[in-house]
Amino acid sequence: MSIPSLDVKYTAVATAHNGRDGRVASDDGKLDVVVNPPKELGGSGEGTNPEQLFAAGYSACFQSALGVVARQEKADITGSTVTAEVGMGKTPEGGFGLTVALRASIPQVDAATARQLLEKAHQVCPYSNATRGNIEVTLTVD
């Protein structure tokens, strides 16, 4: 499988200091957060963690992709929300892996339309495209 080249319009830059038990900051200073492992993984849980940051990014990106698709389909997604649940655990090989559950509420459309919009957004979203075939991603309509 070849990797398609992109016409890059924006590049985000962030630097981690001390990994999962330190700090992550963007080069423009707009993001500067303490990161700590969650209590469930033996950490203090005092700061945020990479999985929360990934969930925040994925949910925001997917919501935007949903908006793109809704405009194309002339569907009203007013009041919609997207929640990303990112799970982390050990793989059978002894490494670590992620799972993602995306849950959307789209109150202005029926369940079948909402499901179609989610499926189409999943084809548009850069996070979905980056994770496809690498981690399990489930889509659910509330």
Side-chain angles (χ1 to χ4, degrees):
M1 177 171 110
S2 66
I3 298 173
S5 62
L6 296 176
D7 178 16
V8 175
K9 302 293 185 195
Y10 171 74
T11 300
V13 179
T15 303
H17 302 269
N18 230 23
R20 288 183 162 274
D21 208 1
R23 181 178 141 262
V24 176
S26 61
D27 65 333
D28 63 4
K30 292 181 181 179
L31 176 73
D32 191 342
V33 295
V34 171
V35 289
N36 299 115
K39 288 183 179 182
E40 295 85 349
L41 297 177
S44 70
E46 291 180 14
T48 189
N49 60 66
E51 292 70 40
Q52 286 177 330
L53 295 170
F54 186 70
Y58 203 159
S59 63
C61 189
F62 198 90
Q63 177 80 36
S64 292
L66 184 62
V68 168
V69 169
R71 284 189 293 283
Q72 292 170 345
E73 300 291 320
K74 298 184 180 8
D76 183 2
I77 63 162
T78 303
S80 66
T81 61
V82 173
T83 301
E85 298 175 7
V86 175
M88 187 184 83
K90 285 198 171 200
T91 65
E93 299 78 28
F96 293 91
L98 300 174
T99 63
V100 175
L102 295 172
R103 192 175 68 249
S105 172
I106 312 173
Q108 302 301 325
V109 300
D110 61 76
T113 301
R115 182 73 191 172
Q116 288 177 327
L117 292 171
L118 284 188
E119 291 291 344
K120 289 179 179 180
H122 194 43
Q123 299 306 310
V124 172
C125 177
Y127 277 62
S128 293
N129 288 328
T131 59
R132 188 169 289 109
N134 298 310
I135 66 174
E136 179 185 352
V137 177
T138 59
L139 306 175
T140 305
V141 175
D142 280 348

